[in-house]
Amino acid sequence: MMTANEIRDSYKKFFESKGHVIVPSAPMVIKDDPTLMFTNAGMNQWKDIILGTKSPEPRRRTDSQKCLRVSGKHNDLEEVGHDTYHHTMFEMLGNWSFGDYFKEGAIDYAWEYLVDVLHLSEKDIYVTVFEGSKDENIPRDDEAAKYWSKHLPKDHIIDGNKHDNFWEMGDTGPCGPCTEIHIDSRPLDKRNGVLGRDLVNKDDPQVIEIWNIVFMQFNRKSDGSLEPLAMNVIDTGMGFERLVRMLQGKHSNYDTDIFQPIIKRIEALSNYKYGFTSPTGKDGECLTDQEKIDVAMRVIADHLRAVAFSIADGQLPSNAKAGYVIRRILRRGVRYAYTFLNQREAFMYKLLPTLVSEMGAAYPELSAQEELIGRVIKEEEDSFLRTLEKGITLLNGAMDELKAHGQSCLDGKEAFRLFDTYGFPLDLTELICRENGYTVDEKQFDMEMSQQKARARNAAVTENGDWMIVRQGEQTFVGYDYTEYECRILRYRKVTQKKHSFYEVVLDNTPFYGEMGGQVGDQGVLVSEQETVNVLDTKRENNQSIHIIEELPKNVEASFMACVDTDKREASAANHTATHLLDYALKEVLGEHAEQKGSYVSPTTLRFDVSHFQKITEEELRKVERIVNGLIRADYSCDEHRDTPIEEAKKMGAVALFGEKYGDKVRVVRFGPSCEFCGGIHAKSTGSIGFFKIVGESSVAAGVRRIEALTGANSEEAIYTQEDTLRDLKQMLNNPKDLKVALKKYIEEHEAMKKDMESLRKQGVARHAKTLIESAKEVDGVHIVKAVLEVDSSSAKDIVFKVREAFDSKLICVLGSVSGNRPQISVMLSDDMVKEGKKNAGKVIREAAQLIKGGGGGQAHYAQAGGKDASNIDAAVDKAVELLK
Ligand code: SER
């Protein structure tokens, strides 16, 4: 029996033998496409080729792509674990033809691979073809049906509707009719005369789609219309986990060698047994205990993969966007472990070594970052477990209420409270409710959410119009060599954000660097004979520079001079080069585990995130600064290698980033000992950075530290500011020779003075107390002490306590005190005065304090009140005595 790793290889080798180039998987986390957070299909990384904005060479390619389907148009989250063949993260085997072979070739290759190479039984193969759509004006795909009939009898070729047989990447973008390949894996003795064709696309767990071949022919525009693509593209996607299951003769993807090692580890750690059940009830309703355990184990195994691979690709869990998707998935896993496997402590991170030993060879980014991934997962688990129990108790209470009132829908406000206070993602609350037969008022939840968002800030709604094509062509970036270049507009579109509109423009040649790899985009101008247009910013989308301009030029056909603002660009370049030197120095000082985890480079500042598991000490930071400044003084010039084959770049020792998408040719940038894969703009030599100064070190996430630093004129200014502060300090101390000695002396003197003052104060307290005690008058057997003194609040307190010590019974002591025009009254009673609630200092003082326009309170035997009007202090004291008598 072939192992999963052998099957993956066999696919790529088969297509290699058919003239396809084997290419690596793109990262699962997408960084430069605003329409998509995660790779959800193998074709994502080829979107620009399919749309004709990038060269299609080589025209035949094959790979195995890490995909995640948890949001947007393709979302399988709810199915995961409940059935046996959906996953959040999965691998998609693909072969591509960009304007090379089309329907017949793709169908013939698929057939040859499945039947001749893998020896799947022809009788168990069914295919679907698109039945056509009147609305879209697309006829039935007779062509695909004709090519299939070379291999399969007519009753194995089934018409399918738009939902199943017209594949679209998202609401907009490449799309086309497709043909799906389904396998009937039911054991022969269990088929009971039911034909496989009747179970195709009927959610039967044994008759499932394994391969989808898309005939990309259209681009869906934002108004919903279809425009034909310039070339025909074959995009195929085979579910790797499903294929492995078929070939290993298992009933469930989770029973293959892809998942079993993880499930075995879950069993060993949790002391629960996996029962190999596959529930028929959906989403947790009416499950047996064993089924619940099995669902939980599958979910945890699946979610672990999704989370670990995302972190490996540089996406840490967070509160926004892609980071929140990862946090949601992780929290779901934690809750399953908590509820069904009784895990009260962090659990998922313990499974990581098993995953790494199974998949680390095929995906080295996983093994290289094992320690970081483990720490991040554990920290996330710990933090959610702190509120999970409280949240679950609250939710159970709410569901009990619903039951008592015969209701079935949880209030959205309650769901929002769980989200806001206890960190329960909405889908988790919904899941738990569903398990108990309840729904959640999502509308209400959304309303609460948007109200909160509106409170925080105005929601940014972005509307992208369609690209208006001015002329066909690809963009060439010339910004490594030029800051001015002649260009023409290829296409533009209008974008509306927060009710503000601007235009995005793609030029044929551009010196403008689009924001990427942490470096902000260039600013500048486009100048034609008639007009000048400001470029406010440059972004990067699908590897192209997108120029942001406020107003469209009057003549979009004109030719322009594109001019970059060179001051800003040079400052950014110096900062970018400094991050490379910093990266090098951090590895030297902290060790090889110190990987870059993010960066931000603007003309004024630089930020660099690095994996390290404790605070970077002051000494370490100083060492880093010394190394970086040494490299600056050495004035290494920029040794740039463009279009270097990736293998050669690795041999040069260039540092690559995990989660970054690299082609087979890369750019390598070297400054002395620092050598990195990098597409950014750099200083001509390190000397122009001037001086490097770290100004901040903090934590951003578990195991990730952030360094903020300045270079050039900015770091110089920072030093001047510090010097100014020191000079001011010196002046304040009368310009001593040695500031440290002088300041130390000053502090010592200050401490001594404080001591003297305190002893003086104590003497004063004793003196005043003595006078007060002597002034006591006895009225009806009660000692009455009253006075107004100029003392501060803590002395007043000490005085009345001293007075009380002098009398063991029947005492009323009222002291008015004034300090710096602030009046205060203190009332002290002996215990026998307050016994049985006879008198109460706290109550009395509230009334008396009105006379000094103040308030206060305290206990029955002692209370203090401050006020604003010192002129009435005597009256207030008399009033208190009066009330207490
Ligand atoms: N794009 C198609 C899919 O994702 C085929 O790869 O199913």
Side-chain angles (χ1 to χ4, degrees), residues 103 129-130 139-149 159:
K103 296 189 182 181
V129 296
F130 186 38
R140 175 182 185 262
D141 196 350
D142 290 336
E143 213 189 335
K146 182 177 94 194
Y147 300 131
W148 276 122
S149 63
D159 280 2

Side-chain angles (χ1 to χ4, degrees), residues 676-695:
E676 302 203 5
F677 284 48
C678 183
I681 306 281
H682 283 276
K684 289 200 176 57
S685 71
T686 59
S688 64
I689 299 170
F691 177 64
F692 171 84
K693 181 80 197 95
I694 294 176
V695 291

Side-chain angles (χ1 to χ4, degrees), residues 40-43 67 69 74 90 92-94 96 167-169 178 209 211-214 216 235-238:
N40 65 12
M43 51 70 66
C67 297
R69 289 195 170 171
H74 299 281
F90 62 99
M92 189 180 264
L93 303 172
W96 280 272
W167 198 86
E168 311 210 27
M169 191 187 93
C178 62
E209 175 200 346
W211 201 347
N212 186 17
I213 298 172
V214 185
M216 291 287 186
D235 153 24
T236 93
M238 173 136 66

Side-chain angles (χ1 to χ4, degrees), residues 478-479 482-488 507 509-513 521-529 531-538 547-549 559-569:
V478 297
Y482 301 93
T483 50
E484 289 187 7
Y485 210 83
E486 193 173 320
C487 65
R488 285 165 181 275
L507 304 173
N509 297 305
T510 184
F512 280 77
Y513 180 79
D522 280 329
Q523 301 177 12
V525 284
L526 303 181
V527 187
S528 73
E529 273 176 14
E531 53 191 326
T532 298
V533 181
N534 283 326
V535 177
L536 307 175
D537 192 6
T538 312
H547 309 75
I548 312 291
I549 57 176
S559 109
F560 294 87
M561 202 63 183
C563 312
V564 171
D565 178 333
T566 47
D567 287 349
K568 288 199 174 114
R569 141 96 61 119

